């Protein structure tokens, strides 16, 4: 099957393989850096969405640091990125905190109790940092403004009963009991792949509930989910929001997008390994939705395939959609899970065993989530440099599967 945008040494790309496209990646970073320069905000790379650390040599030229969701991500950021390290976890263990205080610049807690539990660790570490003339650890609290426009509910951190963030009522209780001495910032995270108009509406609720405390803070972290590098994102409105907030409250602003870093900056390439018929044509790939791109099942969504078109197929017939081509296939993975279905696609020519299939936009929230369910091999990882050359970063084998299981 003919395709476009292939690197010079395309035949060297193994199947399956996640492939970062450096030129597109750098384009995202330049836009994010532009926002930093224009607004004075700091943008952190959220490792939970993008942790392809062999590309951090590029990313750290543009971004202010990383944000981690726990000890392993924090250590990865410290070892491979440097700059500012912000860590947030819904709950910390003591042995984790013993390490985190040595490498984090900001530590954000999900409750007043956790803050009070680990305050002695931070105070002790800060005394040592002062003698060594190192930046002290700044402490933040994650709050829940009880407003989010995220769907589905699995991704909404503000649904009733959410464990993420301190609600306004609980915040008032904690403030009365402990005060805020030693707290430098507040953090909220209520977005998921959303535009700046959603941030504008969310801030109204954040300010409504926490306005008495915002001006006391050195920084406010607006969290992630800001879809800044998407083509239809309103950058002008974002800059207006950031400047207005900074002017009003005189605080440093942080943003920590995950998907915006790697958005449309790479693909997952695989191969057709069999074609069967059961009322419809089904192409079985060496790529699994369940193992290699689980967001397809969690969200759910249908990823785009290069050089394919819309398709809707049912047993016994094809349901034609606008732009659909004559040869339609349902793509399925190699696992035993009946629901390991990626989606329906159509093509101008019939597929053959061995044809390459390229799933677009498969760099963020894929590598960080993939697994070895059914013993299916993990895809390799590589990069297409700006000169068109492909470089292989990493391959996986049986030993990787074996040692993940005991």
């Amino acid at each position: 099957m003919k395709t476009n945008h292939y690197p010079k040494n395309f035949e060297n790309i193994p199947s399956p393989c996640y492939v970062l496209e450096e030129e597109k990646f750098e384009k995202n970073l330049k836009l994010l850096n532009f926002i930093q320069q224009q607004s004075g905000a700091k943008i952190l790379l959220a490792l939970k969405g993008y942790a392809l650390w062999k590309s951090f040599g590029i990313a750290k030229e543009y971004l202010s640091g990383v944000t981690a969701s726990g000890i392993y991500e924090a250590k990865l950021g410290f070892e491979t990125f440097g700059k500012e390290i912000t860590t947030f976890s819904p709950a910390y263990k003591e042995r984790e905190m013993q390490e985190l205080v040595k490498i984090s610049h900001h530590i954000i807690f999900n409750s007043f109790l956790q803050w009070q539990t680990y305050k002695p660790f931070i105070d002790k570490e800060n005394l040592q940092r002062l003698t060594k003339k190192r930046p002290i650890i700044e402490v933040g609290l994650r709050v829940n403004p009880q407003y989010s426009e995220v769907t589905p509910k699995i991704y909404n951190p503000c649904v009733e009963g959410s464990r993420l963030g301190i609600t306004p009522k609980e915040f008032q209780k904690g403030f009365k009991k402990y005060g805020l001495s030693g707290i430098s910032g507040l953090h909220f995270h209520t977005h998921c792949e959303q535009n700046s108009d959603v941030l504008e509406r969310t801030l109204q609720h954040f300010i409504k509930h926490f306005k008495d405390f915002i001006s006391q803070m050195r920084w406010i972290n607006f969290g992630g989910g800001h879809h800044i590098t998407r083509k239809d994102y309103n950058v002008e409105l974002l800059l207006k929001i950031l400047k207005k907030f900074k002017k009003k409250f005189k605080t440093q602003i942080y943003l920590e997008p995950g998907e915006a870093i790697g958005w449309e900056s790479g693909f997952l390439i695989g191969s057709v390994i069999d074609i069967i018929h059961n009322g419809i044509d089904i192409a079985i790939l060496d790529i699994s939705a369940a193992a290699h791109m689980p967001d397809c099942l969690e969200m759910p969504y249908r990823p785009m395939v290069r050089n394919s078109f819309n398709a809707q197929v049912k047993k016994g017939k094809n349901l034609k959609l606008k732009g659909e081509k004559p040869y339609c296939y349902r793509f399925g993975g190699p696992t035993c899970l009946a629901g390991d279905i990626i989606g329906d696609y159509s093509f101008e020519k019939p597929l053959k065993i061995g044809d390459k299939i390229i799933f677009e936009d498969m760099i963020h929230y894929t590598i960080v989530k993939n697994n070895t369910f059914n013993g299916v091999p993990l895809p390799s990882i590589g990069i297409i440099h700006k000169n068109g050359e492909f470089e292989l970063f990493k391959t996986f084998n049986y030993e990787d599967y074996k040692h993940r299981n005991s």
Side-chain angles (χ1 to χ4, degrees), residues 45 47 50-60 76 80-81:
L45 185 157
L47 291 168
Y50 183 92
L52 208 169
W53 58 269
K54 287 192 177 180
S55 69
F56 287 177
I58 305 168
K60 65 185 179 182
L76 180 66
T80 63
F81 201 103

Side-chain angles (χ1 to χ4, degrees), residues 31 35 147 149 188 190-204 222 224-245 255 259-260:
L31 174 57
I35 290 167
Y147 179 86
E149 299 181 19
F188 67 88
T190 64
H191 294 8
C192 179
E193 295 190 350
Q194 289 173 306
N195 215 312
S196 49
D197 61 313
V198 180
L199 173 61
E200 189 172 42
R201 291 190 289 273
T202 302
L203 278 175
Q204 296 173 15
F222 286 11
H226 310 281
H227 221 177
I228 298 168
T229 52
R230 195 175 69 197
K231 290 182 178 65
D232 65 345
Y233 189 88
N234 192 337
V235 172
E236 184 178 345
L237 177 59
L238 175 64
L239 290 173
K240 179 181 177 182
I241 292 168
L242 297 176
K243 291 176 182 178
K244 180 180 178 181
F245 189 93
L255 300 171
E259 75 284 348

Side-chain angles (χ1 to χ4, degrees), residues 10-11 13-14 17 21 27 59 62 68 80 102 112 131 140 157-158 282 310 324 330 335 339 394:
F10 171 74
E11 67 280 357
I13 300 179
C17 186
E21 297 174 87
K27 181 181 177 182
Y62 298 96
T80 63
K102 293 179 171 59
F112 278 86
T131 61
C158 296
I282 303 168
N310 293 323
E324 187 174 329
R330 178 159 293 166
T335 73
K394 175 75 174 178

Side-chain angles (χ1 to χ4, degrees), residues 181-387:
S181 178
I183 297 296
S184 302
L186 298 179
H187 170 227
F188 67 88
H189 181 119
T190 64
H191 294 8
C192 179
E193 295 190 350
Q194 289 173 306
N195 215 312
S196 49
D197 61 313
V198 180
L199 173 61
E200 189 172 42
R201 291 190 289 273
T202 302
L203 278 175
Q204 296 173 15
H205 295 263
F206 173 64
I207 293 170
K208 171 187 173 182
H209 292 302
F210 302 100
K211 62 183 177 182
D212 293 338
F213 309 105
I214 296 173
S215 58
Q216 302 176 39
M217 300 295 130
R218 283 200 289 273
W219 49 269
I220 303 293
N221 190 320
F222 286 11
H226 310 281
H227 221 177
I228 298 168
T229 52
R230 195 175 69 197
K231 290 182 178 65
D232 65 345
Y233 189 88
N234 192 337
V235 172
E236 184 178 345
L237 177 59
L238 175 64
L239 290 173
K240 179 181 177 182
I241 292 168
L242 297 176
K243 291 176 182 178
K244 180 180 178 181
F245 189 93
K246 188 177 181 71
K247 181 178 180 181
K248 181 175 181 180
F249 294 105
K250 306 295 189 298
T251 60
Q252 175 67 57
I253 299 172
Y254 284 86
L255 300 171
E256 43 181 46
E259 75 284 348
I261 305 292
W263 178 250
E264 294 186 342
S265 66
F267 55 83
L268 173 58
I269 187 169
S271 303
V272 177
I273 54 179
D274 197 11
I275 297 175
I276 62 176
H277 189 85
N278 182 5
I280 60 175
D281 287 330
I282 303 168
I284 299 177
L285 312 180
D286 58 359
I287 291 175
S288 164
H292 302 153
M293 37 186 178
D295 265 10
C296 295
L297 303 182
E298 289 178 9
M299 282 295 281
Y301 79 102
R302 172 185 175 276
M304 295 299 297
V305 169
R306 190 173 296 182
N307 294 332
S308 75
F309 301 86
N310 293 323
Q312 183 75 34
V313 293
K314 284 192 175 181
K315 186 176 181 180
K317 66 178 181 177
N318 292 337
L319 299 180
K320 295 293 183 181
L321 297 179
K322 184 177 180 181
E324 187 174 329
K325 297 302 176 181
Y327 299 95
C328 298
Y329 300 86
R330 178 159 293 166
F331 283 173
T335 73
C336 68
L337 177 68
D340 192 359
I341 302 298
I342 301 167
D344 299 340
Y345 300 88
S346 69
F347 301 87
E348 292 180 345
K349 296 180 180 180
L351 296 179
K352 306 184 301 297
I353 306 300
D355 277 349
K356 300 297 184 185
I357 304 296
I358 293 180
F359 291 91
E360 305 284 11
D361 195 23
M362 282 291 145
I363 293 297
H364 59 94
Y365 285 104
T366 49
I367 302 172
V368 294
K369 283 189 171 186
N370 64 20
N371 59 77
T372 56
F373 171 62
N374 258 196
V376 173
L378 293 169
S380 302
I381 303 172
I383 185 173
I384 297 175
H385 292 291
K386 287 186 287 187
N387 64 4

Side-chain angles (χ1 to χ4, degrees), residues 45 56 59-60 63-66 76-83 85:
L45 185 157
F56 287 177
K60 65 185 179 182
L63 304 179
S64 297
V66 301
L76 180 66
F78 179 76
E79 292 173 359
T80 63
F81 201 103
K83 306 181 84 168
I85 310 290

Side-chain angles (χ1 to χ4, degrees), residues 13-178:
I13 300 179
S15 178
C17 186
Y18 298 104
V19 181
L20 177 68
E21 297 174 87
E22 182 180 356
E23 188 172 359
K24 295 178 180 179
F25 181 55
E26 194 168 47
K27 181 181 177 182
N28 287 347
L29 295 171
K30 287 179 178 178
L31 174 57
L32 296 170
N33 190 39
F34 170 78
I35 290 167
Q36 290 184 129
Q37 293 172 340
Q38 294 296 310
S39 68
K42 292 185 177 182
I43 297 182
L44 308 175
L45 185 157
L47 291 168
K48 67 178 180 179
Y50 183 92
L52 208 169
W53 58 269
K54 287 192 177 180
S55 69
F56 287 177
I58 305 168
K60 65 185 179 182
E61 293 182 19
Y62 298 96
L63 304 179
S64 297
V66 301
T67 182
S69 303
I71 183 59
Y72 283 177
E73 286 187 356
K75 289 177 72 172
L76 180 66
F78 179 76
E79 292 173 359
T80 63
F81 201 103
K83 306 181 84 168
E84 293 192 39
I85 310 290
T86 289
T87 306
F88 165 79
S89 176
Y92 300 97
K93 295 181 178 180
E94 182 174 319
R95 65 176 181 269
E96 296 170 341
M97 188 57 61
Q98 289 172 344
E99 292 189 71
L100 285 171
V101 294
K102 293 179 171 59
I103 60 178
S104 299
H105 296 82
H106 290 182
I107 296 179
I108 300 172
F109 292 100
N110 196 51
S111 72
F112 278 86
L113 179 59
Q114 279 259 300
W115 168 40
Q116 290 299 303
T117 299
Y118 294 115
K119 190 174 183 297
F121 289 75
I122 295 171
D123 291 343
K124 181 179 179 181
E125 175 65 21
N126 276 342
L127 284 174
Q128 295 177 358
R129 288 187 176 212
L130 285 171
T131 61
K132 296 177 181 178
K133 298 182 179 179
R134 292 176 57 199
I136 66 168
I137 301 167
E138 296 195 17
V139 178
L141 295 173
R142 176 166 176 169
V143 298
N144 178 351
Q146 297 186 315
Y147 179 86
S148 175
E149 299 181 19
V150 172
T151 56
K153 284 187 177 181
I154 189 175
Y155 289 105
N156 189 326
C158 296
V159 294
E160 186 176 356
S162 172
R163 73 193 193 286
L164 299 172
I166 307 167
T167 63
K169 184 177 180 180
E170 291 301 308
F171 194 92
Q172 289 289 347
K173 289 182 181 178
F175 171 66
K176 289 178 181 178
K177 185 173 183 179
Y178 301 110

